[in-house]
Amino acid sequence: MADSKRIGILTSGGDCAGLNAVIRAVVHRAVEGYGWEVMGIRNGTAGLLSRPVETQLLDLSLFTGTFLRMAGTILGTSSEGNPFDYPLPDGSRIDRSEEVIDGYRSLGLDALIGIGGDGSLAILRRLAKQGGINLVGIPKTIDNDVGMTDVSIGHATAVEVATEALDHLMPTAASHSRVMVLEVMGRDAGHIALTAGIAGGADVILIPEIPYRMDLVAERIEELKERGRNFALVVVAEAVRTESGDTITQRHAGSGSDYGGVGYYVAKRIAELTGAETRVTVLGHLQRGGMPTSRDRLLATVFGVHAVDMIAQGRFDRMVAWSAREVIDVPLDQAIASYRAIDPTGPLVRSARGVGICLGDA
Ligand code: F6P
């Protein structure tokens, strides 16, 4: 009989599909497999700043069949409020890391499973080092930019949503003889744009990793027209810059600003250079809220079980990862340090070029 333990779990950073499936897997493995108790911490590190600390005991009675299928996170999450650089209403910033650590200690936990992207995992690791927390990380992000894992939870579903968007745009583009521009998320990496663009039959894909020229994009669209094609599908990743190198961002009502709007710039330039009628779809948060695909459900289940097994083996400061058809785990610091962008000479880029997709550079 394994030692009795009490472990915590939190979701941090932007949500994505598959988070509830990880929570489910962790609770099943910990409660059924080891007889442990699992404490859910609400709203990421924000829950550890609240007094009383915001928690929820997670037991098997929660799982009535919906968790595996449900996007979002029942624990809530937060992508703002880094405790090391915490914003105050007057605009100043303070370090609240010791408060987070005190909150964690008050729960009497043996270990913590932190589910996050590279930014959240870096913050959690810093807290773990400072507070002596036994941390296991699980990578999740639609952007798929966490290093040392082939894939992160949530990416496959985002790609599915973006591919489906292209499926929906194609018939209306053809009916109206239009160039449809689809702007997708991905932060500084072009994984969603490239993968969904290939799967959804895009004619042009613009990603931040490959500098483009708008005259070459226009040339490709003209070529398609000469060939008898009356429409074109263009996918652009949100972090793509304008021809003069500017990033386009949107200020959100309420808080912060993010990439957003480059699709309108690209559409305008295509219209100017080709005379085509263009329309823009900014896919936005639909990519985060899709029902998890089977791949994300599987990855979440495999990662959740492995994370609990790592705790049982006392293996901390590591991140669960997927590599060469295996679940493995890697040093958390190395994973955080190795950002994963698109390799411009990699197989997906070669395949895109192989089917005549214009990446704006040739
Ligand atoms: O990192 C995930 C992500 O969805 C990015 O692709 C996007 O740029 C950003 O988060 C949007 O963040 P928010 O939910 O704060 O608008």
Side-chain angles (χ1 to χ4, degrees), residues 100-171:
V100 173
I101 291 165
D102 284 348
Y104 177 82
R105 286 193 182 130
S106 73
L107 298 174
L109 299 173
D110 296 294
L112 175 68
I113 294 178
I115 309 166
D118 56 347
S120 308
L121 290 175
I123 292 170
L124 290 172
R125 179 167 195 266
R126 211 172 145 194
L127 288 167
K129 286 275 146 207
Q130 188 172 315
I133 297 169
N134 292 326
L135 176 67
V136 170
I138 298 183
K140 66 86 218 166
T141 167
I142 65 167
D143 307 336
N144 209 27
D145 54 359
V146 177
M148 300 189 80
T149 181
D150 289 350
V151 65
S152 295
I153 294 164
H155 176 63
T157 305
V159 168
E160 198 62 37
V161 171
T163 304
E164 200 183 333
L166 288 169
D167 291 345
H168 290 202
L169 288 171
M170 187 259 139

Side-chain angles (χ1 to χ4, degrees), residues 14-15 79-80 141-143 185-187 192 238 252 258-259 285 288:
D15 75 325
S79 43
E80 274 144 39
T141 167
I142 65 167
D143 307 336
M185 283 183 165
R187 198 83 77 184
I192 299 175
E238 62 179 357
H252 302 302
D258 267 316
Y259 290 129
H285 292 79
R288 297 232 299 247

Side-chain angles (χ1 to χ4, degrees), residues 10-81:
L10 60 78
T11 47
S12 185
D15 75 325
C16 63
L19 295 179
N20 286 320
V22 190
I23 295 167
R24 170 183 176 270
V26 164
V27 175
H28 269 287
R29 185 65 176 153
V31 175
E32 285 194 296
Y34 294 101
W36 299 346
E37 197 173 74
V38 184
M39 190 61 76
I41 295 162
R42 296 199 52 79
N43 303 322
T45 50
L48 293 171
L49 275 176
S50 299
R51 297 293 178 270
V53 169
E54 292 177 73
T55 57
Q56 176 181 358
L57 185 67
L58 301 173
D59 60 36
L60 295 171
S61 68
L62 279 171
F63 307 121
T64 54
T66 52
F67 266 60
L68 199 56
R69 299 163 228 288
M70 215 165 80
T73 161
I74 52 131
L75 291 176
T77 186
S78 169
S79 43
E80 274 144 39

